[in-house]
Amino acid sequence: MDFANELRIATLAVHRASILTNSVQSTIQNKGNSLEKDEFGDPVTIADFASQAVIINAIHHYFPNDTFVGEEDESMLRDSPEILERVWVLIQDLKEDGDEVPRLESKEDVLRVIGLGGKVETGKGRVWMLDPIDGTKAFLSGTQYAVSLALIVDGEQKVGVLGCPNIKAGSSEVREELIDRDGLGVLLSAVKGQGSFQRSMSLDGLGEPKKMEMLKDVGSVNELRYVNSMASSYISRPVYLAVKKACRLKTDEEVDLWSMHVKYAALTIGGVDAMVRIPPKKSYHSYVWDHAGGQLIYQEIGGKLTDLDGGKFDFGVGRKLEKNWGLVAAPPSVHGKLLEVVKHVLAENPIPE
């Protein structure tokens, strides 16, 4: 199965959600970050719900038997008519050219499609996993965030799409402060076994897809350039820094990005080579929507990803990656050596349960 139609509709959905979320981010920035919750609702909450509704509506129209795992559920909206009203207004304001996807006709339609995102069983059949806004802290600050969508079939990633409205098309690196002021960023996509592609986004449509080059080999772990988010409470900073020290890096330069999917975009686009995520507790496991799609896009240009035990990521065990702890991403030429370094450091610096 080539998943061509799934990719087409997923691309359409993510593009529309990128336009919607970018409009909210622009509104926040135009008000000088002074947008109050009581005048717009919580802007991130409003954009999150609206983005999820737009995405699920498009996918469900074409694939009515598929299920969904989304970050949001409709219970808050049912309990808060004021927030629901603001979500509804935002969706109605979205310009949608063409008739490929019918518009949501009522607030009840919005509640219905958002409610479809509560799937728990992910191991069998076709499941779409989505994060309507990945990187909410960066979203509020006007920097890099992503809209992510992935199709999982029997626990494995088959299609991945990332909308990155602030990454400049044609850029060879990703930074929080390097914002696309002229367009609507880029859309990255992949189908398993078919490579990864990049397209420019605008309010009027999408540019032609360009196949992305395969990763180049890195000769040694001391040549790696890292991406992470050092302010995150989901990593053990001291142990991570011990890993970098053990690699005896030629340069200690690091790219700091808040959004998980933007990190995957950075690994794919270039300027960085590796990412190591060591949780602060052994009991911590990431949500699937923080990784589904972005991982596939990176793997399809030749990147290697495992957990800290060297295991493959399993998206078929529910809303969290319960079988996987931590992450090592790097070119295959050095992934094994980097994983050895990580394991050695962890043996000397055990993580608490």
Side-chain angles (χ1 to χ4, degrees):
M1 187 173 184
D2 65 4
F3 296 101
N5 200 35
E6 286 86 347
L7 177 62
R8 183 177 70 86
I9 302 306
T11 297
L12 171 68
V14 170
H15 179 225
R16 289 183 174 181
S18 296
I19 292 173
L20 182 150
T21 54
N22 183 256
S23 72
V24 176
Q25 190 184 53
S26 296
T27 299
I28 296 171
Q29 295 307 301
N30 289 339
K31 288 180 173 285
N33 289 320
S34 64
L35 200 62
E36 298 293 339
K37 288 187 178 183
D38 60 3
E39 68 173 307
F40 196 77
D42 179 341
V44 176
T45 300
I46 303 303
D48 250 337
F49 278 120
S51 177
Q52 181 160 317
V54 166
I55 292 171
I56 294 181
N57 182 51
I59 301 297
H60 183 63
H61 175 71
Y62 282 90
F63 309 106
N65 296 322
D66 292 0
T67 56
F68 299 87
V69 174
E71 186 175 13
E72 309 298 339
D73 68 50
E74 83 279 19
S75 59
M76 178 189 290
L77 296 184
R78 291 192 183 279
D79 293 339
S80 178
E82 296 84 3
I83 294 179
L84 175 58
E85 174 64 26
R86 291 183 172 102
V87 171
W88 172 243
V89 169
L90 184 57
I91 291 172
Q92 290 299 293
D93 287 344
L94 177 64
K95 178 184 176 183
E96 295 182 303
D97 293 329
D99 57 0
E100 290 187 271
V101 178
R103 292 184 68 91
L104 293 163
E105 296 293 341
S106 67
K107 296 174 190 175
E108 192 57 40
D109 277 352
V110 173
L111 293 170
R112 175 181 56 81
V113 295
I114 290 175
L116 293 173
K119 175 76 171 178
V120 175
E121 167 59 47
T122 63
K124 296 180 181 179
R126 291 164 51 105
V127 184
W128 293 87
M129 298 179 177
L130 64 143
D131 193 339
I133 298 178
D134 180 59
T136 53
K137 183 177 179 180
F139 178 81
L140 275 173
S141 69
T143 53
Q144 303 292 347
Y145 73 97
V147 177
S148 71
L149 178 62
L151 173 61
I152 311 298
V153 180
D154 297 332
E156 292 191 359
Q157 300 173 92
K158 297 297 183 181
V159 178
V161 180
L162 292 183
C164 303
N166 289 331
I167 295 178
K168 290 184 177 182
S171 176
S172 60
E173 61 180 3
V174 180
R175 300 286 190 276
E176 291 286 13
E177 69 277 6
L178 295 179
I179 305 298
D180 186 353
R181 304 292 184 189
D182 302 315
L184 192 69
V186 299
L187 184 141
L188 307 178
S189 65
V191 174
K192 186 174 177 63
Q194 298 180 28
S196 295
F197 292 80
Q198 180 178 162
R199 306 176 74 170
S200 61
M201 293 194 294
S202 71
L203 293 176
D204 299 322
L206 293 162
E208 288 298 314
K210 297 179 180 179
K211 192 165 187 176
M212 305 185 75
E213 295 183 359
M214 299 296 287
L215 284 182
K216 293 180 173 62
D217 286 346
V218 174
S220 170
V221 293
N222 69 357
E223 298 174 8
L224 291 170
R225 300 163 298 171
Y226 284 83
V227 61
N228 222 316
S229 48
M230 297 304 291
S232 173
S233 61
Y234 301 124
I235 65 169
S236 172
R237 179 171 175 166
V239 180
Y240 170 63
L241 292 176
V243 168
K244 291 183 67 179
K245 183 178 180 180
C247 288
R248 299 181 179 180
L249 298 173
K250 292 181 178 179
T251 174
D252 199 35
E253 179 186 357
E254 177 156 341
V255 174
D256 200 284
L257 296 167
W258 184 256
S259 159
M260 193 69 214
H261 281 294
V262 173
K263 294 183 191 69
Y264 285 125
L267 286 166
T268 303
I269 289 171
V272 293
D273 310 299
M275 175 167 58
V276 174
R277 302 283 289 181
I278 302 172
K281 293 185 178 181
K282 292 286 288 184
S283 58
Y284 176 79
H285 297 277
S286 299
Y287 285 103
V288 292
W289 52 73
D290 287 329
H291 300 273
Q295 283 198 1
L296 178 63
I297 291 167
Y298 176 60
Q299 289 170 320
E300 283 296 308
I301 64 160
K304 185 168 183 179
L305 280 157
T306 68
D307 62 20
L308 297 182
D309 294 317
K312 176 184 175 182
F313 283 88
D314 186 347
F315 289 90
V317 290
R319 294 172 71 84
K320 288 189 174 184
L321 294 166
E322 296 287 358
K323 291 185 177 180
N324 304 106
W325 184 69
L327 177 152
V328 175
S333 58
V334 291
H335 183 279
K337 179 61 178 177
L338 178 57
L339 184 59
E340 287 180 15
V341 171
V342 172
K343 288 181 177 181
H344 177 75
V345 171
L346 283 172
E348 295 184 341
N349 301 271
I351 300 294
E353 294 294 328

